[in-house]
Amino acid sequence: MGKLNYDKWSKLELSDDSDIEGHPNVDHASLVRWKQRDIHEKREERKFKIAHYEQELKNNDALYPKLVEITKTVAEGGPSAFSSTVERLKTQPSPDAPAPGQKKYDEMIYDAMMSVREECKAEGLDGKDDKLGEALVAKLEGQKKQLLDRQEYLKQEIVKEKAEQDKKITSDDIHEGFSSSSVNKAVEPAPITSSLSKKPVTKKAATTIETLNAPSTSTANFPRSTTENTAHETEEADDEGEEDEDETLPELTPELLAFSKIKRGNFEESYRFIQEHRSVYVPGADDALLVAAFDAETNGKSDYAKNCVNQALLIQYCEKLGPDGPALFFRRAMQGHKAALAVFSKDVDDTYKHLKGRVEATRDEVASGKEQVQLVASDPSMSFSFSVPDGPPPPNLTLDEELKDLDIEQVREALQTRWDVFQSFPQNLQDALKANSLDKVNKVLGKMEVSDAEEVVRLLSSTGIMDVADGGEVRDMTGKE
């Protein structure tokens, strides 16, 4: 009968060994807790170091082809190509980066090229030296070699750290073996939907909504400053604008409401809540939180509003980091990574500041009302009609019998002026006049500033494009859009 192999037990790492040596004045339970904490801290530090090395490997894999291409360009173009490349990297860097908030790849390349430039200056080489081009290429080749050497070092360190990690059995190594039981697959929680996520974005829309960050993929849909599109607004675009007024905004679910009340900076509690309540980490959750922030700020609950912004950005950052986003983001946050926390904190402050500004602007608009110029008949029997010119006066202009007493040149001049005025109007106003629809003309006038609309009405009247049967008047409609 063969001997039993007990080697596997040597991989167990216990924090409550009875043979722990300690100070006689320190109780054994405290020594056990200290050793346990030391074991877990070193284990987490090793995990973080491996993750850091692997990320640096990916970064260098992205940088090396760029460095090869730049070296080739400088070898062909000389110092001038080097200078132009440095200028491009400085003024027009690519937005590509390893992750949101991290240094861009082009900025890393820029730092390497500036290091090369400084080395050349230290050696007394300037633009007039014939050897500058060769020196630049040689030093760029040196940068490539350093990068490759660093890659080899990182690979060796990762192998060494993983070997050290595998020496002991941890809870991460525990997995189920053979089992006859069956487990129903958990149902993925439904996303938080609203009419904002259902409506397709078309180029005909008259209004665009600003979005938060970026780089990415999940944006805020709470009200923000809008910009009017001066392009051609067709009848279909106007109909879409009317539909937008009936949009339903996303609302907080009970789980999201509880998540929104977790205090800023309590990353441990937020991470635990996401792990226990999968329904808060779904598409649309950040939108619902930002809408809640806007409502809270409107109602004077500034602290809660900023808290909602903070929680919304937590979800956005995790989503941008991929499938393992929550684990990656919260691990770095709970380890107190200063650079990452500074970027996140600034993003929260900037987003809240923007939201607060939009709330104040909305209050001002509601308080003051918006003046509009509208064409209104003072009596139900009165009506408006619009006579749109077909084009400029023809070269051979002839007058009807009723107009034979008029000067033909004056008539020609009046018709030309009428056509020029019509052509000067924006396309949406031209379409409304061609449709001979008072409602459509008023809709266009309502979107204009009062002074501009009044000038349009004056031109319509003076050129005869607008005809008022039995009289009529122009009236300011304040606060009625």
Side-chain angles (χ1 to χ4, degrees), residues 24-97:
N25 295 333
V26 180
D27 63 291
H28 181 74
S30 296
L31 290 173
V32 171
R33 286 196 300 271
W34 292 342
K35 182 176 181 182
Q36 185 180 37
R37 185 174 65 183
D38 180 64
I39 290 172
H40 284 281
E41 286 180 352
K42 288 181 178 178
R43 191 178 296 164
E44 289 301 316
E45 182 180 354
R46 186 173 294 112
K47 287 181 182 178
F48 180 76
K49 187 180 292 186
I50 291 173
H52 177 74
Y53 286 160
E54 289 177 343
Q55 183 61 49
E56 188 176 349
L57 268 176
K58 292 180 181 178
N59 292 352
N60 292 343
D61 286 340
L63 290 173
Y64 186 75
K66 294 177 180 287
L67 202 54
V68 170
E69 183 65 26
I70 290 174
T71 303
K72 181 180 178 181
T73 301
V74 174
E76 295 174 354
S80 60
F82 182 91
S83 299
S84 62
T85 303
V86 169
E87 184 65 22
R88 177 182 60 80
L89 294 173
K90 181 180 179 181
T91 58
Q92 299 176 339
S94 169
D96 295 340

Side-chain angles (χ1 to χ4, degrees), residues 18-221:
S18 58
D19 59 347
I20 294 178
E21 296 182 3
H23 197 278
N25 295 333
V26 180
D27 63 291
H28 181 74
S30 296
L31 290 173
V32 171
R33 286 196 300 271
W34 292 342
K35 182 176 181 182
Q36 185 180 37
R37 185 174 65 183
D38 180 64
I39 290 172
H40 284 281
E41 286 180 352
K42 288 181 178 178
R43 191 178 296 164
E44 289 301 316
E45 182 180 354
R46 186 173 294 112
K47 287 181 182 178
F48 180 76
K49 187 180 292 186
I50 291 173
H52 177 74
Y53 286 160
E54 289 177 343
Q55 183 61 49
E56 188 176 349
L57 268 176
K58 292 180 181 178
N59 292 352
N60 292 343
D61 286 340
L63 290 173
Y64 186 75
K66 294 177 180 287
L67 202 54
V68 170
E69 183 65 26
I70 290 174
T71 303
K72 181 180 178 181
T73 301
V74 174
E76 295 174 354
S80 60
F82 182 91
S83 299
S84 62
T85 303
V86 169
E87 184 65 22
R88 177 182 60 80
L89 294 173
K90 181 180 179 181
T91 58
Q92 299 176 339
S94 169
D96 295 340
Q102 293 188 6
K103 199 170 186 178
K104 299 180 179 66
Y105 291 124
D106 277 5
E107 292 177 349
M108 300 179 193
I109 295 291
Y110 174 79
D111 291 342
M113 296 188 71
M114 290 304 296
S115 174
V116 168
R117 174 178 283 180
E118 292 301 323
E119 290 177 10
C120 289
K121 285 185 178 179
E123 295 175 7
L125 298 173
D126 54 23
K128 298 179 180 179
D129 200 315
D130 296 337
K131 297 181 180 180
L132 178 59
E134 296 178 1
L136 290 172
V137 173
K139 293 188 182 300
L140 286 173
E141 291 288 350
Q143 291 283 344
K144 287 166 54 181
K145 185 177 183 306
Q146 289 180 21
L147 196 60
L148 293 176
D149 292 343
R150 178 65 178 173
Q151 290 292 80
E152 289 300 319
Y153 170 77
L154 290 173
K155 291 175 183 178
Q156 294 173 9
E157 287 297 304
I158 291 173
V159 171
K160 184 172 69 175
E161 292 295 337
K162 285 187 175 181
E164 186 68 26
Q165 186 182 52
D166 295 338
K167 285 183 178 180
K168 302 295 181 181
I169 297 175
T170 67
S171 58
D172 295 336
D173 302 319
I174 299 175
H175 57 85
E176 185 179 1
F178 296 102
S179 174
S180 60
S181 62
S182 62
V183 179
N184 292 330
K185 185 178 180 181
V187 179
E188 286 291 323
I192 298 176
T193 58
S194 70
S195 60
L196 293 179
S197 59
K198 294 178 181 178
K199 287 182 178 291
V201 179
T202 64
K203 295 183 179 179
K204 294 181 180 179
T207 305
T208 58
I209 299 178
E210 292 182 355
T211 56
L212 294 176
N213 301 323
S216 149
T217 58
S218 174
T219 58
N221 281 319

Side-chain angles (χ1 to χ4, degrees), residues 371-384:
E371 289 188 346
Q372 291 185 339
V373 170
Q374 300 282 270
L375 299 175
V376 181
S378 58
D379 186 88
S381 63
M382 300 175 185
S383 63
F384 287 86

